[in-house]
Amino acid sequence: MMLPRWSRAIANLSRAGLQSNFKYGNDCSNVVLHRSYAKVAAAAADSVLKGFPNQPSINLNKMFWSKPCSLALASDSPLRVDEPKYEGIKHTIFKLLLFYSKQSQSIRGANVVYKRIISQVEKPLIYEVFNLEKTFKTTFSLLVLHMWLCLRRLKQEGKEGVELGQYLYEIYNHDVEMRVSKAGVNLLLHRWMKDLEKIFYGNIVAYDSAILPVAKQDELSNVIWRNIFSDDGSSPPNDAASQTVQAMARYARREVSCLSLTDKEAMFSGNFMFTSLETEKNSKGR
């Protein structure tokens, strides 16, 4: 069963002092860990959150209804991360160092994609909008959700996208391992990483199934409730929780559509941004 494993992992991580200190580090730039995100988990994972926060002050019923659009950054956006352009002897040296190899470019692109994910997950507003307490568990669950969004989009590009998704997963996995290790979980690090890995795969499988055309209308909401909000994975959400869970399901569906409209170049270079929660809140959330 996945629930005891998740409870055990989080309990030990919490005892080790890992709270909301889950930030992306610069030490992930060239890691290749030779692990595969393509394997299928044996079962979907449940999540643990003690209690549900108070009634949200934001009018969630009016959020995430807008028409999907591309998330690609404009060519003149100051947020873009473009490949450095070297000329002359520098270009020759970097070429000899395989800086321009497909693998090197893919790793750099995957790092930017991961930074976009972490940027969205670390925004205080995402916890405010969805009425979540910022803990390791909620941050990890949101990270997995956004990893799924990107991996799903990259797979639409065939073999190239799957390969980039592999690099993205390796960077994610290394980052999680570094954060857990820095929290003091060293003696049983491998064991807890295996638990978190199974939770990741279980969540990915559940999200994939919930987004299928044949899935029930409320399946994605149910999966989000179990993975991110639920206390034990069995009790249904109350009215306040249901409103929030449905809003997150709309957010996830809209991001799926927006990412599908985002061109390959933007995805592979990481030159896209997730939907602005600030814009949604200010324009429709009151």
Side-chain angles (χ1 to χ4, degrees):
M1 293 179 63
M2 298 299 296
L3 181 58
R5 180 179 290 112
W6 173 255
S7 302
R8 186 172 65 251
I10 297 304
N12 281 273
L13 291 171
S14 297
R15 282 198 294 271
L18 185 57
Q19 299 296 327
S20 60
N21 214 6
F22 194 72
K23 298 185 182 295
Y24 176 69
N26 294 324
D27 49 2
C28 303
S29 58
N30 289 299
V31 64
V32 180
L33 301 182
H34 306 294
R35 299 184 185 180
S36 174
Y37 80 88
K39 66 181 181 179
V40 178
D46 288 323
S47 298
V48 179
L49 177 61
K50 295 300 181 183
F52 189 81
N54 298 325
Q55 177 74 27
S57 59
I58 297 172
N59 190 346
L60 290 169
N61 289 330
K62 294 184 178 180
M63 297 180 72
F64 311 116
W65 293 106
S66 57
K67 183 179 179 181
C69 60
S70 170
L71 299 178
L73 292 171
S75 58
D76 59 348
S77 171
L79 298 176
R80 286 185 62 88
V81 178
D82 293 316
E83 284 277 279
K85 296 179 180 180
Y86 300 109
E87 298 179 356
I89 187 64
K90 281 189 176 181
H91 178 84
T92 302
I93 293 174
F94 275 93
K95 187 174 182 179
L96 290 173
L97 293 174
L98 303 181
F99 181 81
Y100 297 105
S101 70
K102 181 179 179 182
Q103 183 184 52
S104 294
Q105 290 178 326
S106 295
I107 292 174
R108 288 196 296 275
N111 268 280
V112 180
V113 173
Y114 191 65
K115 287 179 181 178
R116 303 301 188 192
I117 292 172
I118 288 295
S119 175
Q120 187 78 343
V121 169
E122 285 292 335
K123 282 185 172 68
L125 191 55
I126 199 169
Y127 299 90
E128 177 187 346
V129 167
F130 295 116
N131 203 28
L132 288 167
E133 178 185 0
K134 188 173 184 181
T135 63
F136 172 81
K137 182 266 169 185
T138 53
T139 300
F140 176 81
S141 299
L142 289 174
L143 175 58
V144 173
L145 174 66
H146 287 79
M147 280 288 293
W148 167 71
L149 289 169
C150 290
L151 292 175
R152 183 182 185 279
R153 170 62 184 88
L154 290 173
K155 283 193 291 185
Q156 294 174 357
E157 297 296 339
K159 183 180 178 180
E160 280 187 284
V162 171
E163 289 176 352
L164 184 61
Q166 180 67 55
Y167 290 122
L168 177 61
Y169 173 77
E170 289 161 357
I171 293 166
Y172 147 85
N173 199 78
H174 181 70
D175 187 42
V176 172
E177 185 172 341
M178 291 295 292
R179 304 311 146 198
V180 174
S181 178
K182 287 180 180 179
V185 181
N186 292 308
L187 183 62
L188 299 175
L189 176 61
H190 180 72
R191 174 183 173 183
W192 304 128
M193 286 303 299
K194 280 293 184 182
D195 287 341
L196 294 177
E197 184 180 46
K198 290 179 180 179
I199 292 168
F200 175 89
Y201 292 138
N203 286 6
I204 294 295
V205 171
Y207 289 133
D208 275 341
S209 298
I211 206 71
L212 292 173
V214 296
K216 296 180 180 178
Q217 185 176 3
D218 59 351
E219 183 61 22
L220 183 58
S221 296
N222 291 338
V223 170
I224 286 175
W225 166 250
R226 293 195 303 270
N227 289 347
I228 301 175
F229 295 94
S230 176
D231 187 20
D232 58 11
S234 60
S235 58
N238 58 29
D239 290 343
S242 180
Q243 177 184 347
T244 306
V245 173
Q246 288 173 17
M248 185 174 286
R250 289 196 306 274
Y251 165 77
R253 286 189 183 278
R254 188 178 185 280
E255 295 305 273
V256 165
S257 298
C258 289
L259 287 169
S260 293
L261 296 172
T262 304
D263 64 84
K264 177 181 176 180
E265 188 280 329
M267 290 303 306
F268 277 50
S269 64
N271 282 312
F272 68 91
M273 296 292 289
F274 289 99
T275 294
S276 170
L277 298 173
E278 186 70 38
T279 300
E280 285 283 333
K281 175 187 174 184
N282 292 338
S283 62
K284 301 180 181 182
R286 293 293 180 184

